[in-house]
């Protein structure tokens, strides 16, 4: 349950807030103003990412710590932090790409639908073994699957190279998507 809550926090928090904020900045002309002042796009993205991460990481860590105290679970903290940060970064890059690529109305709709879809169609609150066999290939297309499963394993004190590799693949794909969208803007 804890892995699902933290995964939803990562997916919904970064995907909806970032995409909608960037789309609004684009709609209101704030991005144009920043671009005309020769501010690099990566600096704008990095500043927004650090603000979001500064708010979300401590809340998630406190939630995990309190849960570990109540339920007496052993947590593999380095893996938890690494999973949170990598999962958050690729969700952030997907949200940033969406905010830059589409208009504000479409971004508001897409971010809500994709955020909830990524969270509930992936095995976030249940183990992967409970998902029917015919749906398992679809779960590996969900970015949240790898975060949720790696978090669940780290709450048991272990690490899975397969789920970590899946997160790295999504990180590279979201970075490529962001670079593609950014290149279309120039």
């Amino acid at each position: 349950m804890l892995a699902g809550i933290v995964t939803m926090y990562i997916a919904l928090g970064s995907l909806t807030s970032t995409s909608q904020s960037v789309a609004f900045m684009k709609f209101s002309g704030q991005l144009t103003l920043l671009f005309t002042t020769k501010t690099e796009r990566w600096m704008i993205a990095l500043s927004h990412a650090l603000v979001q991460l500064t708010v979300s990481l401590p809340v998630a860590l406190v939630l995990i710590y309190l849960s570990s105290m109540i339920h007496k679970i052993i947590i593999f903290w380095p893996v938890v932090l690494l999973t949170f940060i990598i999962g958050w970064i690729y969700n952030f890059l997907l949200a940033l790409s969406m905010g830059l690529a589409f208009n504000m109305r479409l971004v508001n709709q897409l971010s809500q639908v994709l955020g909830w879809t990524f969270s509930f169609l992936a095995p976030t609150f249940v183990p992967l073994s409970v998902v029917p066999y015919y749906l398992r290939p679809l779960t590996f297309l969900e970015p949240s699957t790898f975060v949720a499963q790696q978090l669940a394993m780290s709450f048991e004190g272990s690490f899975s190279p397969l789920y970590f590799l899946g997160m790295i693949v999504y990180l590279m794909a979201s970075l490529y998507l962001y670079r593609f969208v950014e290149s279309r803007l120039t």
Side-chain angles (χ1 to χ4, degrees):
M1 182 72 97
L2 180 60
I5 292 169
V6 174
T7 301
M8 285 192 65
Y9 190 71
I10 294 169
L12 290 177
S14 62
L15 192 67
T16 56
S17 69
T18 301
S19 61
Q20 291 175 5
S21 296
V22 170
F24 178 76
M25 288 173 62
K26 187 175 75 172
F27 173 76
S28 66
Q30 294 173 12
L31 282 181
T32 305
L33 181 63
L34 288 170
F35 294 159
T36 58
T37 61
K38 305 290 187 221
T39 304
E40 297 288 333
R41 288 186 182 147
W42 66 268
M43 289 179 69
I44 297 167
L46 182 63
S47 66
H48 189 74
L50 290 177
V51 167
Q52 293 291 326
L53 194 58
T54 303
V55 171
S56 61
L57 184 60
V59 173
L61 292 178
V62 166
L63 177 68
I64 294 168
Y65 179 72
L66 290 176
S67 296
S68 72
M69 298 301 289
I70 293 169
H71 296 291
K72 306 288 187 230
I73 56 176
I74 298 170
I75 296 178
F76 195 21
W77 283 103
V79 175
V80 169
L81 286 171
L82 192 62
T83 301
F84 185 90
I85 291 171
I86 291 173
W88 193 89
I89 289 172
Y90 73 68
N91 274 297
F92 174 77
L93 288 170
L94 289 172
L96 187 61
S97 302
M98 190 182 341
L100 290 173
F102 302 115
N103 66 34
M104 196 167 86
R105 181 176 177 198
L106 185 58
V107 167
N108 288 339
Q109 294 168 348
L110 278 176
S111 65
Q112 294 295 321
V113 170
L114 288 177
W116 287 101
T117 302
F118 286 166
S119 299
F120 282 113
L121 291 182
T124 52
F125 291 104
V126 296
L128 188 59
S129 60
V130 176
V131 176
Y133 289 112
Y134 61 90
L135 290 178
R136 285 187 192 175
L138 293 176
T139 62
F140 287 108
L141 296 176
E142 298 272 0
S144 302
T145 297
F146 299 101
V147 173
Q149 296 303 309
Q150 186 64 53
L151 282 173
M153 291 195 72
S154 65
F155 295 153
E156 296 170 354
S158 62
F159 173 78
S160 169
L162 174 69
Y163 297 134
F164 185 74
L165 180 63
M167 289 189 310
I168 297 299
V169 167
Y170 267 105
L171 178 64
M172 293 297 127
S174 61
L175 184 61
Y176 175 77
L177 179 65
Y178 169 69
R179 299 295 292 170
F180 175 74
V181 169
E182 183 185 49
S183 70
R184 306 270 300 171
L185 294 174
T186 56

